[in-house]
Amino acid sequence: MFDDLRDLYQEVILDHGRKPRNFRRLEDADRTARGDNPMCGDRLELYLKLGPDGAIADAAFQGRGCAISTASASLLTETVKGKTAAQAHALSDRFRELAMTGTCPDCGADLSEEMERLQPLSGVHEFPSRVKCATLAWHTLNAALEGAKEASSE
Ligand code: ZN
């Protein structure tokens, strides 16, 4: 990876880690789930508001965690808005592949814009202990969509 790109990615993670977007409780959330990553101590609660068509109308989170888990949750809330449950699941699968391997060969064109926004987190694949920090919010998203209340990185 070029150093410039690495710096840019670092900057995105630090920015979202320090100033997470949609960091609030959604009082009228239709779905909520808690995520726990005991390896690092990251804990978060994810809130989803669904529209009349079942698509995700709003997403927000609260919690405490390292910069990577916070940045990942922040980027998640920005990228899943407007998505159907199926699209959100697909995005979650692709993101987890990206975090674990650094690439996502079967990321089709349909979610390419979202995947590009999540690209800054791809660097975690070089640090296996941090992969769970990056994927915690996405496990929690799947739990919320499936109506489960708890998600663990384990
Ligand atoms: Zn962490």
Side-chain angles (χ1 to χ4, degrees), residues 33-44 64-66 68-69 72 92 95-96 99-100 127-143 149-154:
R34 261 180 231 280
D36 187 16
N37 174 24
M39 292 256 298
C40 178
D42 309 316
R43 297 181 72 92
L44 59 89
R64 289 174 70 89
C66 65
I68 290 173
S69 70
S72 185
S92 179
F95 174 73
R96 282 185 289 167
M100 279 186 279
F127 309 96
S129 65
R130 308 311 298 277
V131 169
K132 287 177 176 176
C133 300
T135 57
L136 176 66
W138 299 86
H139 284 294
T140 311
L141 171 69
N142 285 355
K149 293 285 174 215
E150 305 278 340
S152 173
S153 61
E154 297 304 303

Side-chain angles (χ1 to χ4, degrees), residues 78-100:
E78 287 194 323
T79 49
V80 299
K81 268 186 214 178
K83 301 282 175 294
T84 63
Q87 286 172 324
H89 268 300
L91 190 60
S92 179
D93 287 347
R94 289 168 192 180
F95 174 73
R96 282 185 289 167
E97 184 174 349
L98 180 74
M100 279 186 279

